[in-house]
Amino acid sequence: MKKIYIILVLLSFITSSCEDYLNTKPIDKIGLEQYYTDEAGLTSVYTGYMIR
């Protein structure tokens, strides 16, 4: 009986979801929808394009 209880507890921990933790957005990167909205983003794209 004790083995069944331990197995059930372990299965509940294994199958529990940590989806919210894994699907967080990175805070150190700028998304494309935010990148072209200000002058600094446009200037850096233009500068990168002109260097090529």
Side-chain angles (χ1 to χ4, degrees):
M1 184 69 177
K2 190 174 182 179
K3 283 185 178 182
I4 294 174
Y5 179 71
I6 292 172
I7 291 172
L8 288 175
V9 170
L10 288 175
L11 282 175
S12 68
F13 282 123
I14 291 171
T15 60
S16 65
S17 176
C18 56
E19 188 174 326
D20 293 334
Y21 178 73
L22 295 176
N23 290 332
T24 58
K25 292 183 179 182
I27 58 172
D28 62 339
K29 296 182 181 178
I30 299 174
L32 289 176
E33 63 273 355
Q34 296 173 343
Y35 194 72
Y36 298 111
T37 57
D38 60 350
E39 185 178 350
L42 291 173
T43 304
S44 66
V45 170
Y46 181 73
T47 305
Y49 178 74
M50 294 303 289
I51 290 174
R52 291 184 185 182

